[in-house]
Amino acid sequence: MTNNIELFNLKNTSIPGSILKLRSCRQAVVIPHKSPDGDAVGSSLALMHLLNKAGVPTHVVVEDSLPYFLNFLPGAENIIIWDKKNTIAETYIQNADCIISSDYGHVSRCGVLEKFVRENPCLKIMIDHHPHPEIEAYDFLFHDITSSSTCELVFDFYVKYFSDISLDKTIATCIYAGLVTDTGCFRHALRPQTFETASELLKTGIDTEHIITKIFDVNTPQRLKLLGYCLNEKMVILPEYKTAFIHLSGEELRSFGVKKGDTEGIVNYTLSIEGIIFGAFFFEREDHTTKVSFRSKSTFPANEFSSRFFDGGGHRNAAGGQFNGPVNLAVNHFLECLPQYKTVLESLHL
Ligand code: 5GP
Ligand code: MN
């Protein structure tokens, strides 16, 4: 634990000690959260490219594989995946003199890597936009929950502390990937600064259509069939709770030959129904536990619901969690918990 936490402060124009230390590191490691999404991977790769360019040798280490549609990002092929290379991943973290957590505020979100992060007493930096960060575990927090994405924060981090390095297409492509992922292609979590950031990224000449196509238009016929099945046969609508949810068992996932990333985005269809404020998507993992995604509209606190009942968290309108059991029990638990939020759901109108 450190008692010397530095917090990113907009008004403070001096370079924090942690950044000076970072700039002279021998070996930095950036760790996105486990089951990484476009914001976690985009921000980690952007930081890797930026730091390498600034003369700080940097690697990205993550617990598990990326969803297939992020493999096009520059540098993705060099990410060290613990699931595939345990010892190498652990050694990189053990030997690092700086560890940067990107797109999560609690060390436990890096999964099996948590132990190695906590054991290394080196400089620790967090770059994140989720509420309730674990501040004691870090020396320097670059944290702002009003930011659309961690990638938007990486851009701020670059402007504030690394503006001597030129922003190139490689870095800008990675940042843009996170921006479009977390805003759902500029639909939510927006603020004026998000567009200013996008504008600066476009000035580098990035191919925005290519990035969007690679991330969002990568359906396989199999995935579309799965989506059709979810919408046609598995969608449950509870008008009295303004809630809709979809659930898939392990057997169903196997019968559709689902691979990592195939279920991404399905939850959003629940919220596209008129009048629905709370949406959920449940799928059973191979170990018979269940992964849950929550999405909400208006002020409904999906993250609070997830942290109270599904050992999770996230943002107000986009959260995730898990249930220690098969999908049917997870759904029963959900239906038991929902009445506690009936009054809140009834009070919200779009
Ligand atoms: P998704 O549903 O896409 O997995 O996650 C939505 C949001 O919730 C993301 O910001 C993600 O980081 C967060 N999230 C997902 N799963 C968990 C979890 O188990 N714990 C916490 N604290 N946040 C999560
Ligand atoms: Mn994010």
Side-chain angles (χ1 to χ4, degrees):
M1 280 241 267
T2 172
N3 51 14
N4 190 24
I5 302 154
E6 289 184 277
L7 273 157
F8 152 63
N9 178 347
L10 263 181
K11 293 192 192 86
N12 190 350
T13 51
S14 62
I15 305 280
S18 295
I19 300 297
L20 296 174
K21 258 176 138 179
L22 168 63
R23 291 198 76 137
S24 59
C25 277
R26 290 173 297 100
Q27 175 61 69
V29 164
V30 187
I31 309 181
H33 57 74
K34 65 175 182 176
S35 302
D37 59 7
D39 192 31
V41 176
S43 58
S44 299
L45 286 174
L47 285 164
M48 179 188 87
H49 293 301
L50 178 66
L51 291 171
N52 279 332
K53 220 169 160 179
V56 182
T58 304
H59 289 84
V60 176
V61 179
V62 65
E63 175 183 311
D64 51 347
S65 304
L66 318 186
Y68 62 92
F69 54 82
L70 295 177
N71 286 330
F72 81 99
L73 285 173
E77 67 283 6
N78 297 324
I79 294 181
I80 300 153
I81 299 166
W82 181 87
D83 269 348
K84 294 182 180 162
K85 295 178 178 173
N86 300 12
T87 317
I88 296 176
E90 289 161 18
T91 308
Y92 266 108
I93 299 174
Q94 282 161 338
N95 291 342
D97 49 3
C98 177
I99 296 173
I100 305 179
S101 293
S102 197
D103 200 33
Y104 54 99
H106 199 283
V107 187
S108 63
R109 292 273 292 135
C110 62
V112 290
L113 305 179
E114 174 180 5
K115 170 175 174 284
F116 305 100
V117 172
R118 291 206 192 270
E119 278 171 6
N120 185 339
C122 71
L123 173 70
K124 307 239 173 82
I125 294 177
M126 173 209 297
I127 305 189
D128 184 41
H129 66 138
H130 292 89
H132 319 299
E134 183 191 356
I135 52 176
E136 320 76 54
Y138 294 88
D139 301 285
F140 183 68
L141 281 80
F142 200 80
H143 183 263
D144 182 359
I145 63 164
T146 71
S147 188
S148 69
S149 51
T150 298
C151 275
E152 190 176 321
L153 278 177
V154 168
F155 181 79
D156 298 341
F157 186 79
Y158 156 75
V159 170
K160 222 163 152 48
Y161 305 128
F162 287 87
S163 56
D164 52 316
I165 309 294
S166 63
L167 189 72
D168 58 35
K169 266 197 206 180
T170 302
I171 299 171
T173 296
C174 297
I175 296 180
Y176 199 77
L179 225 62
V180 295
T181 299
D182 270 23
T183 63
C185 288
F186 301 103
R187 280 187 67 177
H188 37 248
L190 298 167
R191 57 179 182 175
Q193 204 184 318
T194 313
F195 290 99
E196 283 155 21
T197 302
S199 164
E200 291 305 312
L201 299 175
L202 261 65
K203 286 178 194 165
T204 66
I206 54 169
D207 187 343
T208 55
E209 253 187 77
H210 177 75
I211 298 168
I212 299 243
T213 302
K214 284 290 195 184
I215 297 178
F216 294 101
D217 298 336
V218 283
N219 276 318
T220 55
Q222 207 52 25
R223 192 188 118 93
L224 279 186
K225 283 180 191 162
L226 173 72
L227 177 62
Y229 174 69
C230 287
L231 301 180
N232 199 28
E233 298 191 36
K234 303 297 303 208
M235 173 99 80
V236 179
I237 302 173
L238 306 169
E240 70 277 29
Y241 290 105
K242 297 179 187 164
T243 294
F245 67 91
I246 294 168
H247 54 104
L248 289 173
S249 67
E251 207 164 299
E252 286 167 319
L253 292 166
R254 274 189 297 281
S255 74
F256 278 91
V258 168
K259 59 183 191 310
K260 200 167 182 142
D262 277 347
T263 54
E264 206 82 18
I266 293 181
V267 63
N268 297 318
Y269 286 89
T270 59
L271 274 197
S272 70
I273 303 167
E274 193 180 6
I276 295 297
I277 284 180
F278 189 31
F281 176 70
F282 303 78
F283 74 86
E284 199 170 296
R285 297 187 181 118
E286 273 173 26
D287 61 2
H288 303 296
T289 64
T290 300
K291 153 82 187 156
V292 197
S293 284
F294 295 110
R295 298 292 184 270
S296 71
K297 285 194 166 161
S298 179
T299 55
F300 187 78
N303 52 357
E304 183 189 294
F305 188 94
S306 187
S307 94
R308 279 184 66 188
F309 305 125
F310 284 91
D311 181 30
H315 306 284
R316 187 186 67 187
N317 297 124
Q322 40 270 313
F323 180 82
N324 196 10
V327 74
N328 56 328
L329 296 185
V331 168
N332 287 347
H333 180 58
F334 178 66
L335 294 173
E336 278 164 18
C337 299
L338 208 48
Q340 295 187 48
Y341 280 82
K342 190 164 194 244
T343 320
V344 180
L345 286 160
E346 275 170 352
S347 72
L348 296 173
H349 300 279
L350 294 170

